[in-house]
Amino acid sequence: MSSRPSRGAARLAAILDALPDALVLVNANGTVVNANTIALEAFEAPGTALVGRGLLDLLPQFDSRLIPGSMRRPDHMDPRGRTKPTRMVARRTDGTEFPVEVTSANLENGQQAYDGYGYSGDELLMLVVRDLTGTVDTEAELARSQRQTEMILRAASEGVVGTDTDGRIVLVNPAAAQILGYRAGELGGKELHNLVLHSRADGSPFPYAESPLADTLRSGRKHRVRGQVLWAKGDKKVPVDLTTAPVRDGDQLVGAVMTFTDRRPYDSVVDEKSAQEKAHADELERLSEEHASDLTALRQKHVTEVEELLERHAEELAAGEDRYAALGEREKDRYEALSGRHEQLLTLLAQSLRGPLDELRRELAALAADDAGQLWPEANQVLHHLSAGYSRITQLIDNVLGYQRLDAGTEDINRTKVMLDAVVAAGVDGAVELIGPGRVQFAVHAPPIEAEVDPQRLAVALAHLIADVAGVDATGNAPVSAGGYMDNTVVVAAAQRGEVVRIEVRGPYAGGDPVHEPIVRGIVRAHGGVLQTHEVPGMSGSAFVLEVPIGGGAGAVPTPAGTEVAMIPAAAESVGEAGVETGGRRRARRSSVDAFLESDVPGEAGGEGEGEVPVTPTGRR
């Protein structure tokens, strides 16, 4: 208590501070004039004071007529102003609320709380305030648990009866009362055994000592009994499945619970099912005897119909076999005719055309050599041009023949472990043979990757793919762009992606030539790979992405720094033979090639960047 003016008041304040409940003194104006330590802790918030507050601010539900200065004193008020404990909501000085129980009393003459404060006994109201925060929660939880238990017992379809240690009924749910034919109020306090377990099913007495309930109350063991008989009101037998279990308070046995399920609905269902099964068996026997002759006639009729259907089906099969045999003979004749024409075409290409063309190419090459120096330069150039054209046609015939043999199955790919950069170089050389020197420029990215492939056939596929996107026709002429100048660079980029090798070939034209593309797809398919076509945004032409499995190859092989991009040797030699300078222009191709190599989707290449790949121009005549 605050402000203790004397030794006696200090002693009293110490006693009041030791109380477990809050103590508040209120004057006739309804103002708090003093409080013990518990009251200060319960009501005061930091920065606020309890003393000087109005009582109704702290206890809004408190009866204001009990304040000493009130003009409306209750008629039934205790002479000393004492009140019974009353629950209400208290409010702290910061406005928060909590539940409390309040008891009040007036201080009479001679019961001044402190000397020297100027209050007489009947001018002060003393309130004892007990904080119920934890108590209210506990009581609510207990009430909720009790309500939940009652609802469970009411909702249970099984009968539940609880007894004390003497076997007297202390609890019964509605299902138990209904099964036994009593009202719940009629069962309370009665001995359960004498009421419903006094006799066996045959009517003989059932001693209490032999009942499962008695053993549970003696030993605390559980029992489960099937087919037990309970005696309902009016001595009616009720067959049940019975269970008894002990009820303990800690280690002490305080009673037992007996639960039982009425078997009458189940027994009636079983009896009804048995009657239905017997009636069904009788009906089946009657129907079987009644329809035996009909079944025999139907079986005979069915056998006759099946034999007729089998004969008809055999005739249809024979007719079908003759028809399909005739069709097979016709298809065989057509296949043999097509095979003969195919062999004739291959023989024509391989012997009748290729041999004379090869001979003519050698003769033209000998004339173009002009050892005697008797030809004009223009004639010499024309002869060189004709010799290159015949060489291109001979190479094309050889590649078509090889593809036809591979597609027909007469030849197969020959896999071997090779370096991919050598295969790319051979492919570029083959492309130069097909399109002629000086027609396109090459930008090649071919890192050393070991793969198990057929190097010759894969090089042929790359050569035809490059010739396809280069847009050079069989005569060696390239289409003229309507927009003027067109970059004639062909980009070849290779990289490893997991267990496959990816090769991108991108040129100025869309490709899709009926001569080149079938050869490429056939060779790639024979390797177990795929060929896809992708458009490159912002650029003319198309990008072909060729993927083949690495197989038993080791994959990418580390190379020294600075050797990432190499010029194809064969292309450089063709440039030297043409006698044209090998400098040429540089194209901003490096960033797009790197984007392709880093992409996860085939053919996704970025735009042009600052990096460049060396471009190897071929010679022009």
Side-chain angles (χ1 to χ4, degrees):
M1 304 290 286
S2 59
S3 304
R4 300 171 176 78
S6 64
R7 180 177 301 176
R11 185 178 297 110
L12 178 61
I15 295 173
L16 296 178
D17 287 343
L19 292 175
D21 297 325
L23 183 66
V24 179
L25 296 181
V26 180
N27 62 13
N29 295 327
T31 303
V32 176
V33 296
N34 216 326
N36 67 349
T37 302
I38 300 299
L40 297 177
E41 293 176 354
F43 284 95
E44 276 190 352
T48 59
L50 173 63
V51 177
R53 293 266 179 172
L55 175 62
L56 297 182
D57 292 339
L58 302 174
L59 300 171
Q61 300 174 356
F62 187 77
D63 190 356
S64 61
R65 295 178 300 175
L66 298 176
I67 299 175
S70 174
M71 302 297 294
R72 300 178 294 110
R73 305 288 284 177
D75 297 334
H76 60 279
M77 183 175 177
D78 185 91
R80 294 186 178 183
R82 296 176 181 175
T83 60
K84 295 181 179 180
T86 305
R87 291 191 176 187
M88 61 184 66
V89 176
R91 185 180 298 161
R92 297 186 179 89
T93 55
D94 61 355
T96 58
E97 297 179 346
F98 60 101
V100 295
E101 185 179 73
V102 179
T103 305
S104 64
N106 288 333
L107 294 180
E108 298 179 354
N109 292 334
Q111 292 181 334
Q112 292 177 340
Y114 305 101
D115 296 334
Y117 269 80
Y119 300 106
S120 62
D122 57 358
E123 291 180 328
L124 293 177
L125 177 66
M126 180 180 68
L127 294 95
V128 178
V129 183
R130 176 168 294 175
D131 190 350
L132 299 180
T133 301
T135 304
V136 170
D137 294 340
T138 303
E139 291 177 351
E141 180 63 23
L142 290 175
R144 187 191 67 80
S145 178
Q146 184 176 359
R147 288 195 302 272
Q148 185 176 10
T149 302
E150 291 177 356
M151 288 188 293
I152 292 174
L153 289 175
R154 289 180 180 275
S157 60
E158 294 182 340
V160 180
V161 179
T163 69
D164 58 13
T165 54
D166 295 329
R168 297 184 180 276
I169 299 174
V170 296
L171 179 145
V172 59
N173 73 334
Q178 181 181 5
I179 294 172
L180 298 176
Y182 292 95
R183 288 183 299 176
E186 296 175 349
L187 300 175
K190 295 185 178 180
E191 292 184 1
L192 179 61
H193 181 82
N194 294 336
L195 184 65
V196 298
L197 288 169
H198 51 78
S199 301
R200 303 182 190 274
D202 57 1
S204 61
F206 187 20
Y208 173 73
E210 299 178 8
S211 68
L213 177 64
D215 185 73
T216 298
L217 291 174
R218 284 195 306 268
S219 63
R221 290 191 294 264
K222 294 182 180 180
H223 291 276
R224 184 184 299 273
V225 183
R226 294 181 61 86
Q228 179 70 46
V229 172
L230 299 182
W231 295 88
K233 190 174 184 180
D235 289 336
K236 296 180 180 179
K237 292 193 294 185
V238 180
V240 297
D241 291 336
L242 182 70
T243 301
T244 60
V247 177
R248 301 181 185 275
D249 185 4
D251 295 333
Q252 184 179 2
L253 183 67
V254 297
V257 173
M258 184 178 76
T259 60
F260 50 89
T261 303
D262 190 356
R263 290 190 56 85
R264 286 176 294 182
Y266 302 102
D267 294 341
S268 63
V269 170
V270 171
D271 295 340
E272 182 179 357
K273 183 180 178 182
S274 299
Q276 290 179 353
E277 289 178 351
K278 185 177 183 304
H280 182 65
D282 296 341
E283 183 68 14
L284 285 178
E285 185 177 358
R286 185 184 65 82
L287 291 175
S288 178
E289 294 175 354
E290 185 178 308
H291 296 294
S293 59
D294 296 339
L295 289 174
T296 302
L298 289 174
R299 289 194 188 97
Q300 185 62 37
K301 181 180 178 180
H302 179 67
V303 169
T304 305
E305 291 177 352
V306 168
E307 290 177 353
E308 293 177 355
L309 289 174
L310 288 175
E311 292 177 0
R312 189 184 310 165
H313 182 62
E315 294 174 356
E316 292 177 354
L317 285 177
E321 288 177 357
D322 295 339
R323 184 167 58 255
Y324 289 129
L327 290 175
E329 289 294 332
R330 287 202 301 269
E331 292 299 323
K332 180 180 178 182
D333 294 340
R334 290 182 55 192
Y335 175 77
E336 290 177 353
L338 288 174
S339 179
R341 289 195 294 271
H342 178 70
E343 291 296 333
Q344 181 185 18
L345 177 61
L346 293 182
T347 304
L348 176 65
L349 292 175
Q351 299 177 10
S352 302
L353 287 180
R354 192 187 183 287
L357 286 174
D358 195 30
E359 181 66 25
L360 185 57
R361 181 184 63 81
R362 287 195 296 269
E363 293 176 358
L364 289 174
L367 289 174
D370 192 17
D371 297 333
Q374 298 177 358
L375 295 177
W376 291 93
E378 292 80 359
N380 185 278
Q381 185 176 3
V382 170
L383 290 175
H384 275 291
H385 182 70
L386 291 175
S387 177
Y390 282 114
S391 177
R392 181 167 56 254
I393 295 174
T394 303
Q395 182 67 27
L396 182 60
I397 290 174
D398 289 341
N399 293 343
V400 170
L401 289 173
Y403 160 68
Q404 290 292 332
R405 296 188 187 98
L406 180 64
D407 188 59
T410 57
E411 292 183 4
D412 198 1
I413 60 174
N414 183 20
R415 297 179 183 271
T416 182
K417 295 180 182 179
V418 295
M419 300 303 294
L420 189 63
D421 51 354
V423 176
V424 172
V428 173
D429 289 342
V432 173
E433 290 291 332
L434 288 175
I435 63 180
R439 295 291 186 259
V440 295
Q441 301 179 105
F442 295 97
V444 181
H445 182 98
I449 301 173
E450 186 183 51
E452 189 177 18
V453 296
D454 188 331
Q456 296 179 353
R457 295 190 183 276
L458 189 57
V460 169
L462 286 175
H464 281 274
L465 198 57
I466 294 171
D468 196 14
V469 299
V472 179
D473 59 16
T475 62
N477 297 320
V480 179
S481 173
Y485 171 76
M486 177 178 289
D487 187 2
N488 63 348
T489 302
V490 175
V491 178
V492 182
Q496 179 182 351
R497 285 294 175 267
E499 298 298 324
V500 300
V501 173
R502 177 188 297 179
I503 304 175
E504 180 193 23
V505 179
R506 185 171 65 226
Y509 295 96
D513 186 86
V515 174
H516 297 303
E517 188 172 359
I519 296 176
V520 179
R521 292 192 181 276
I523 295 175
V524 173
R525 184 170 56 250
H527 278 80
V530 293
L531 177 67
Q532 303 181 49
T533 307
H534 298 275
E535 293 184 358
V536 182
M539 298 183 65
S540 63
S542 296
F544 284 87
V545 177
L546 180 153
E547 289 186 352
V548 294
I550 292 179
V557 178
T559 56
T563 61
E564 179 184 359
V565 179
M567 184 174 67
I568 300 303
E573 292 177 1
S574 64
V575 172
E577 292 175 0
V580 181
E581 183 180 357
T582 60
R585 295 166 295 176
R586 294 179 177 267
R587 304 294 179 187
R589 296 283 186 177
R590 177 62 178 273
S591 61
S592 63
V593 173
D594 290 344
F596 157 73
L597 294 174
E598 296 299 328
S599 66
D600 290 331
V601 179
E604 289 188 358
E608 296 183 353
E610 296 180 358
E612 296 182 351
V613 173
V615 178
T616 305
T618 60
R620 298 180 183 272
R621 290 188 180 271

